[in-house]
Amino acid sequence: MRIIMGILIGHREEEAVKVQELLTKYGCYIKTRLGLHDTPTEGSCSSKGLLILEFMPGNEKEVDALEAELKKLESFVVKRMEF
């Protein structure tokens, strides 16, 4: 099974350390990581960020655990696709 997860971070500046800690903890299961954020005006950053993760096959338990931990964080929206 192929799992893709989208993570919308509501307060990127305040939550960046927490996200990085979790991504490091589950890093061995992540195949692809793509980070996107809006730039409202040139030279500035948006407070929101979007992460897209693709996981290595066969690690559903670890993906479930990461998803549960991310959903505990206040400003996060987590969505998942399975193929």
Side-chain angles (χ1 to χ4, degrees):
M1 175 185 323
R2 177 176 258 170
I3 301 173
I4 307 290
M5 184 181 293
I7 306 160
L8 181 64
I9 303 166
H11 303 291
R12 195 173 54 86
E13 296 87 2
E14 293 89 17
E15 304 287 3
V17 172
K18 293 176 191 172
V19 173
Q20 189 57 47
E21 287 173 354
L22 287 173
L23 294 179
T24 299
K25 180 177 177 180
Y26 292 95
C28 292
Y29 311 107
I30 298 170
K31 180 178 179 182
T32 306
R33 172 181 165 181
L34 176 63
L36 307 169
H37 69 277
D38 294 328
T39 52
T41 60
E42 190 173 322
S44 68
C45 291
S46 171
S47 64
K48 293 185 179 183
L50 176 64
L51 284 174
I52 299 172
L53 304 176
E54 175 190 15
F55 294 91
M56 302 292 288
N59 295 293
E60 289 82 9
K61 282 176 48 175
E62 290 80 7
V63 175
D64 292 342
L66 172 58
E67 183 176 14
E69 289 194 57
L70 287 167
K71 286 184 173 182
K72 291 178 186 176
L73 300 174
E74 187 176 314
S75 70
F76 284 48
V77 176
V78 180
K79 302 288 181 176
R80 179 172 167 161
M81 294 184 289
E82 297 180 4
F83 299 95

